Each structure stands twice: as C-alpha cells, then as structure tokens.
Amino acid sequence: MRILVVEDEKRIADFLSRGLQGAGYAVDTAATGGQALDCVHSADYDLVILDLMLPDMDGMQVLERVRSRQVGPPVLILSARGALDDRVKGLEQGADDYLVKPFAFVELLARVRALLRRGQPAPEKLQVSDLTLDCIRRKVARAGESIELAPKEFGILEYMMRNKGRPLSRTMIVEHVWDMDYDGLTNIVDVYIRHLRSKIDDRFTQKLIQTVRGIGYMIESPDKPAERTAEPAAERQV
Ligand code: CA
C-alpha cells in the first residue's frame, strides 16, 4: 500500500511519514500542490493525505485535479481549517474523509486503515457452486431458486463466501457478524449455521457448508458431489 502525504510543514510531513512507514505503508511526501500533482500523475497511490493550505495552491484544487482522474485514490483531507463549511466543501468535492489538526496519530491511522479497506475491490456477486449471493441487492439463490435469509444468516453466509475455501473459526464469524457489544457465546454460530444449512444445503445432495473439526466452518464446492451427506459432529467448541 502506497500513500502520498501532501504537506508543506516539514515537521508534520516527517511525523506522518515516519508513523505511516512504521505502520507498514510505503510513503511519499510532496511539499507543494505542484509536486503532489506530479506524484499523482507518475505513480499509483492507494491513498492521498492532503493538507489544504499549501504554498502554491489551495489543497482543494489538488483534490479537484485528483478527482478528475478516472480512477483516483481516496483522499483524506488533513487541515487546520475545521469549520463546518470547509469540511462540507471538502467532502462535497469528493474527499473521502476530513480530519482536523491537531489530531492524534492513532486516529489518523484508524481513518487511513478504514479508507484503504474501502478501496479493496469487493465483488458484487459471490458464487460457490450453484449458490449465488448478490451483495448489493442482498439476494441469495441456489440452483436459480431464491432463498430468504434473516440478516445475521445473510451476514454469515456473505462472510463465508468472501472467504471461500478458508476455514473460519466461530470467533472470527462472531467478530465479523455481531457488533462489538455482543458478549455472548460463540455457540450462537452453531445455531445460525444449522439454520443456514437447513435453508441452503438440506434439499441438495451437494453440501456446501463444511464443518472443519477443531476450527469452525468453511464454504466450498465439495470435491465429490453427491457423496457428502453425513452431518459431521459440529458441536465441539474451539
Ligand atoms: Ca500547510
């Protein structure tokens, strides 16, 4: 992941650069709007952190130029101008986030991570064998037949399908699908998997949801279609 830091104040630029490099990112810095545009035109960045008050131009102009590119990186504005007007204007002009100076580095890092995650291409439609899941319309179908799922069931299935072929522990599933206020048992996952199986797998000879002993669950197309009909023991807690 490569980040461009556009900041004319050397002290802040160095601080950001060191911190982000320490967090594992490749970082380039630009001290003027002109340099920033040169960088953006000559390299592919996953994120641009942009100061608004630059010596040669307003950061908003840089933003405008970055946004005029077809596939521009996300832009996080970092500015001492914290007025609501400035924030609204920045976001309206296509900035993805806005952080007011002074800021805590941990907060910046959290925003950076969120923006970079968002930049990951997420397929709209997932497929495992004849099971399809439409992430946008939130529809599930197997062999062309539509299946109704409750929201949590959908969340678990989507998570499993995004990680097709990868065993997921109950804890991973809980952390992904329930919010952080949930402090119940991971057994709840077994309950939901049972519901999912009854809706997705029971009527079909090909079972897609697999129990991975000692770990949890996984979804994949079975190697031997029509032969895995036995329900493996799923109740052991990890
Ligand atoms: Ca500045």
Side-chain angles (χ1 to χ4, degrees):
M1 291 287 185
R2 191 161 173 192
I3 299 175
L4 176 65
V5 173
V6 186
E7 170 65 72
D8 61 314
E9 230 174 293
K10 193 169 182 316
R11 191 180 51 87
I12 298 179
D14 288 348
F15 167 73
L16 285 175
S17 177
R18 268 200 312 275
L20 291 167
Q21 280 169 354
Y25 301 108
V27 183
D28 295 335
T29 54
T32 65
Q35 275 179 22
L37 293 173
D38 285 347
C39 288
V40 168
H41 288 127
S42 58
D44 278 333
Y45 291 97
D46 298 292
L47 176 71
V48 175
I49 297 177
L50 179 64
D51 176 34
L52 286 188
M53 285 183 253
L54 296 167
D56 57 338
M57 63 175 88
D58 191 295
M60 287 293 186
Q61 288 173 266
V62 178
L63 175 63
E64 216 170 284
R65 304 265 197 94
V66 171
R67 276 289 156 268
S68 68
R69 288 163 63 81
Q70 284 219 315
V71 188
V75 175
L76 167 66
I77 289 180
L78 194 58
S79 177
R81 297 199 319 227
L84 188 61
D85 268 4
D86 282 318
R87 281 198 240 194
V88 170
K89 196 173 153 218
L91 296 171
E92 269 179 1
Q93 293 206 359
D96 299 272
D97 204 352
Y98 198 113
L99 192 58
V100 177
K101 291 180 190 171
F103 58 91
F105 185 75
V106 283
E107 176 165 20
L108 174 88
L109 192 57
R111 308 259 189 128
V112 164
R113 287 190 170 133
L115 287 172
L116 290 173
R117 261 201 308 276
R118 220 166 73 187
Q120 301 282 319
E124 291 177 17
K125 286 193 178 166
L126 304 169
Q127 181 154 15
V128 175
S129 188
D130 56 353
L131 176 70
T132 57
L133 182 145
D134 184 327
C135 305
I136 310 291
R137 291 171 193 80
R138 302 187 74 77
K139 287 191 189 310
V140 175
R142 177 129 193 218
E145 199 182 309
S146 162
I147 296 170
E148 290 293 324
L149 294 183
K152 287 274 189 287
E153 294 166 356
F154 184 94
I156 293 174
L157 186 65
E158 182 181 8
Y159 180 50
M160 291 177 84
M161 288 177 78
R162 282 195 192 284
N163 292 282
K164 178 166 69 172
R166 178 177 166 214
L168 303 170
S169 71
R170 292 172 180 80
T171 307
M172 285 162 81
I173 294 173
V174 164
E175 283 177 357
H176 190 86
V177 178
W178 276 265
D179 64 32
M180 54 205 233
D181 294 332
Y182 179 80
D183 58 357
L185 297 169
T186 54
N187 297 28
I188 187 126
V189 172
D190 299 328
V191 175
Y192 275 87
I193 291 285
R194 223 172 294 145
H195 294 165
L196 271 176
R197 280 183 161 143
S198 78
K199 292 181 177 182
I200 290 173
D201 273 344
D202 279 3
R203 290 174 294 120
F204 298 87
T205 37
Q206 235 194 24
K207 309 299 180 194
L208 303 178
I209 298 176
Q210 319 281 324
T211 299
V212 185
R213 276 167 203 275
I215 299 178
Y217 300 98
M218 158 172 93
I219 197 161
E220 70 171 351
S221 311
D223 310 321
K224 292 184 209 155
E227 282 197 19
R228 290 197 196 175
T229 44
E231 188 83 351
E235 311 310 322
R236 191 150 65 95
Q237 196 63 27
V238 286

